[in-house]
Amino acid sequence: MGFSFNFALKNIRRRPFRSVSLAVIVLFLSFTLFVGAYTIISLQNGLGSYRARLGADIVVVPNSAKGHGSVDDILLQGITGTYYMSGKDGAKIASTSGVQAASKQFFLTSAKASCCSSRVQIIGFDPKTDFSVMPWIGESYSGEIGDGDVVVGAEVTVPDNRLLKFYGENYHVAAVLEKTGTGLDTAVYATMNTVRQMAEDASNLLDTAPYKGVDPQQAASAVLIKVEDGYSPEEVADDINIHITKVQATPARSMVAKISGGLEGVSKIIGALVGIIWVLAVAVLLIVFAMLTNERRKEFAVLRVMGASQKMLFSVMWIESLVISLIGAAAGLACGAAVAIPLGTTLKGALELPFLSPNPGVMSVLCAAALLISAGAGAVVALISAARITGSETALLIREDA
Amino acid sequence: MKLSAEKITRNYFRQGKGTNFFTAVAPVDFTLEEGKLTELVGRSGSGKTTFINMLAGLLTPTEGRVLLDGRDLYAMDDNERSAVRSGSIGVIPQGQTGLQGLTVLENVLIPSAMYGGSKTKTELAHKLLEKMGIDDLCDVYSNELSGGELRRMAIARALINEPKIIIADEPTADLDDDTTKQVMELFKSKATEGCSVLIVTHERESMKYADLIYKMENGKLPKE
């Protein structure tokens, strides 16, 4: 093994063009595998996170929520939206048969003006009835969220003094939430009392505020519903849609299914692209290795004449190809990581799908898998070519090259 | 160390019109004598190279056995046969056999590194290169050498493991008269030291160093 290892390393160093060319092909393998897998896993994570954050069986919004700034827009892309249903409608929804729990949310949008730190979606929730936001906040913050406190999504910039200004007032950032990969990462959460304060301030400051005159204690932008056992969300949603005008009830399942369908399509396209690139790259590798092995017949024959066994030659080829493939695969991973992470943000916007990067554990497994699979593919392809030649009679190899 | 052949034959399969086998070496019995320089002559295509390749353990005979100290070389598995060949038989094949990407010294040391572990033979390599008159080229890459220099490097390389048997296929083909003399004297001295030396040659000048000469004709080997 000592000879094979030293000889293989010498070959790699002394044939830089050959070594780099092979490494570049393997780089493509690991790059596509990593970027493809990273994107698919992130989309799946995003869907899981979206499902978890929805936390309800049915989402009810006023009819005016259709289009720009709908719940989908807010959840997926963080597009701000403000629309309200009356307190009367909210009460009707809560009393619909099959509704086990109903929790109102009030959406407010901060202004892009000196009165506010930044333009974000502010979501007010009622801590007494909430079953959607509190469990999520509980994952990163165990304290109480008092009036005047806000909790912010992972992508909201928090100043060092942890104070955010909305409509002229400073609010204390109690916690920053875990990343979800959805539009909620750019949202700010507060209790209904806090949001009511913000709405009042907004009405005083801005003449055109859409919530002028809207009472957050009564009105709601969305009502999240949990259905009783024995009822299907579709039945209850139909019941609400039939009996309460001006609102639109959508089973969360169908919202998830819509995303899931889109995600499946995108995943298939990415999978197919990765597959095509792999087939092409492996075919190129096979051809290149076959050509290189052919070119090296003389070298192998000379080594055999000197006493090298077939096993030794095989080891030389194996070590050479493995080292080159590992270097190529590692470089591919580095390029993949450099591209995939910014690409994720672009994809999230372009595909309108939730996108949540894998956690460090999954990322490590993904890196290791991409490295091993790509390096392994390179090494195996090299060995297929090597096997053809190491089994040949030495004298015949010399004669062929004479 | 005794190297002998018992009725070795080699057939080649020839493709083309009237596909059939071609016999390169007919059944041949042969013993390479210790302490002697044996030369093998014959016309091109008479089967000399095929014959010595079979003796060197590089080409499996179609029939017959090659015995090294009574052990059938081709009954050994590849690992054992390779190790035995590396330690006992120094082979100088036809043509240019420098390994590109390696210096002259590295080329010469390769056979000693294969099974030698950490034991290096750098000193011996320099001595051999000096005898071949190319020690000043030890750090030069083999692809920068002339044909004659490559031949001399291949000779030094074949001798690095101090083999008891030396088999050379036209070792002086690319060499000038002075270097041919130098090389043949080296082979002769090896034979005098007790090695069995077998050389294929076409050159009359080389034949004066021979203790025994065989002439191969159409794959057969009558003693000359």
Side-chain angles (χ1 to χ4, degrees):
Chain A
M1 194 64 170
F3 164 74
S4 304
F5 190 74
N6 292 332
F7 188 70
L9 290 191
K10 252 180 204 161
N11 266 339
I12 293 169
R13 279 203 309 268
R14 305 269 171 90
R15 303 288 184 94
F17 182 74
R18 181 173 79 189
S19 307
V20 169
S21 305
L22 292 172
V24 166
I25 301 173
V26 180
L27 180 150
F28 277 112
L29 288 178
S30 79
F31 176 84
T32 51
L33 187 64
F34 176 79
V35 173
Y38 170 85
T39 308
I40 292 171
I41 292 173
S42 298
L43 287 170
Q44 282 168 346
N45 275 352
L47 178 68
S49 172
Y50 175 78
R51 192 184 281 132
R53 291 288 56 83
L54 216 51
D57 296 322
I58 299 169
V59 178
V60 189
V61 292
N63 284 338
S64 55
K66 280 179 189 166
H68 197 70
S70 68
V71 174
D72 273 9
D73 289 337
I74 293 168
L75 287 177
L76 295 177
Q77 297 173 68
I79 293 170
T80 52
T82 45
Y83 34 79
Y84 305 98
M85 64 180 87
S86 68
K88 213 167 122 189
D89 285 339
K92 275 188 197 167
I93 291 165
S95 62
T96 304
S97 126
V99 173
Q100 185 191 51
S103 179
K104 287 194 282 187
Q105 290 192 345
F106 188 90
F107 299 166
L108 197 68
T109 306
S110 61
K112 209 174 186 175
S114 59
C115 66
C116 300
S117 298
S118 57
R119 184 173 169 84
V120 290
Q121 181 73 33
I122 302 166
I123 298 174
F125 62 94
D126 181 357
K128 286 178 197 153
T129 58
D130 177 75
F131 53 84
S132 167
V133 180
M134 292 295 281
W136 178 27
I137 292 173
E139 287 172 18
S140 15
Y141 180 65
S142 54
E144 191 112 334
I145 298 161
D147 293 340
D149 285 342
V150 292
V151 175
V152 300
E155 286 175 15
V156 174
T157 309
V158 179
D160 290 342
N161 63 6
R162 295 184 74 84
L163 291 175
L164 287 176
K165 194 171 168 189
F166 296 114
Y167 299 110
E169 290 295 324
N170 281 325
Y171 293 88
H172 172 247
V173 178
V176 178
L177 296 167
E178 289 286 328
K179 195 168 170 63
T180 65
T182 67
L184 299 179
D185 289 334
T186 56
V188 170
Y189 300 84
T191 60
M192 282 294 193
N193 285 340
T194 308
V195 172
R196 183 172 62 173
Q197 182 59 50
M198 289 179 190
E200 278 171 16
D201 293 341
S203 301
N204 295 333
L205 278 171
L206 311 168
D207 287 340
T208 55
Y211 19 82
K212 208 171 175 71
V214 174
D215 178 6
Q217 289 291 43
Q218 300 301 319
S221 300
V223 177
L224 303 188
I225 291 172
K226 256 193 186 302
V227 299
E228 276 178 34
D229 287 345
Y231 286 86
S232 81
E234 286 76 14
E235 279 175 345
V236 177
D238 285 348
D239 202 10
I240 293 169
N241 288 332
I242 291 164
H243 294 104
I244 307 169
T245 52
K246 297 183 190 168
V247 298
Q248 177 67 46
T250 312
R253 260 202 303 245
S254 71
M255 288 170 74
V256 171
K258 193 175 130 194
I259 305 291
S260 178
L263 188 145
E264 202 180 320
V266 171
S267 297
K268 271 183 188 166
I269 292 168
I270 293 170
L273 282 176
V274 170
I276 290 166
I277 291 169
W278 260 69
V279 168
L280 289 175
V282 168
V284 170
L285 261 185
L286 269 170
I287 293 165
V288 170
F289 271 114
M291 284 165 66
L292 280 179
T293 310
N294 223 31
E295 187 197 294
R296 296 179 70 182
R297 290 168 87 88
K298 180 72 170 277
E299 179 189 334
F300 291 146
V302 172
L303 286 168
R304 289 284 280 156
V305 165
M306 285 189 249
S309 62
Q310 288 178 359
K311 198 174 152 188
M312 251 179 214
L313 289 190
F314 215 69
S315 297
V316 168
M317 282 294 283
W318 166 250
I319 294 164
E320 262 187 59
S321 54
L322 193 65
V323 170
I324 289 172
S325 301
L326 276 173
I327 292 169
L333 274 187
C335 296
V339 167
I341 293 158
L343 182 78
T345 315
T346 312
L347 274 178
K348 186 177 160 186
L351 301 173
E352 299 186 4
L353 288 171
F355 193 96
L356 181 61
S357 295
N359 62 41
V362 175
M363 201 73 159
S364 309
V365 173
L366 177 61
C367 288
L371 190 77
L372 290 178
I373 294 170
S374 308
V380 167
V381 167
L383 289 183
I384 292 169
S385 304
R388 278 179 37 237
I389 209 157
T390 51
S392 306
E393 291 248 41
T394 310
L396 300 180
L397 286 177
I398 297 173
R399 205 174 65 158
E400 283 171 21
D401 282 289
Chain B
M1 192 161 254
K2 191 179 168 189
L3 182 67
S4 59
E6 285 181 358
K7 293 188 171 35
I8 55 169
T9 308
R10 178 68 198 198
N11 297 328
Y12 287 112
F13 182 70
R14 271 183 173 167
Q15 267 186 326
K17 236 179 179 181
T19 298
N20 55 19
F21 286 103
F22 157 69
T23 301
V25 176
V28 169
D29 287 315
F30 175 81
T31 300
L32 184 61
E33 297 202 22
E34 288 175 79
K36 290 199 171 154
L37 196 157
T38 305
E39 291 194 0
L40 184 59
V41 296
R43 294 175 63 179
S44 296
S46 58
K48 301 184 298 293
T49 299
T50 300
F51 176 66
I52 64 162
N53 278 337
M54 287 193 285
L55 282 181
L58 300 174
L59 183 66
T60 313
T62 309
E63 281 172 37
R65 300 194 301 166
V66 174
L67 303 170
L68 183 68
D69 278 345
R71 292 187 65 199
D72 185 351
L73 259 187
Y74 293 96
M76 297 175 189
D77 68 26
D78 183 69
N79 287 341
E80 190 184 5
R81 185 167 64 247
S82 300
V84 166
R85 282 200 301 103
S86 174
S88 310
I89 308 175
V91 180
I92 300 141
Q94 248 181 34
Q96 306 307 346
T97 56
L99 291 175
Q100 286 184 21
L102 297 185
T103 64
V104 169
L105 184 63
E106 286 169 339
N107 259 281
V108 172
L109 284 170
I110 276 197
S112 66
M114 280 178 184
Y115 300 93
S118 59
K119 193 178 159 193
T120 58
K121 292 186 172 177
T122 313
E123 206 178 320
L124 177 59
H126 281 297
K127 271 185 191 168
L128 288 167
L129 288 170
E130 208 174 301
K131 278 184 186 173
M132 291 291 107
I134 52 168
D135 193 35
D136 55 325
L137 300 175
C138 64
D139 292 326
V140 171
Y141 283 94
S142 63
N143 52 323
E144 295 169 27
L145 298 185
S146 68
E149 287 162 344
L150 279 169
R151 293 299 289 165
R152 285 183 276 167
M153 184 192 76
I155 294 166
R157 193 171 59 195
L159 301 180
I160 191 72
N161 280 346
E162 300 171 274
K164 289 291 175 197
I165 296 164
I166 298 163
I167 297 176
D169 197 350
E170 301 186 32
T172 56
D174 300 311
L175 304 181
D176 58 62
D177 291 346
D178 286 346
T179 317
T180 299
K181 186 174 171 244
Q182 216 176 346
V183 168
M184 290 311 295
E185 279 174 358
L186 176 68
F187 285 138
K188 186 70 183 173
S189 74
K190 285 285 168 190
T192 309
E193 286 168 20
C195 292
S196 314
V197 183
L198 175 62
I199 294 172
V200 170
T201 185
H202 287 292
E203 293 165 51
R204 287 270 157 209
E205 186 62 22
S206 300
M207 290 181 201
K208 68 182 183 194
Y209 296 92
D211 296 310
L212 291 164
I213 296 178
Y214 288 84
K215 186 172 185 184
M216 195 141 216
E217 283 173 350
N218 298 324
K220 291 178 184 145
L221 195 64
K223 204 171 192 175
E224 193 172 67

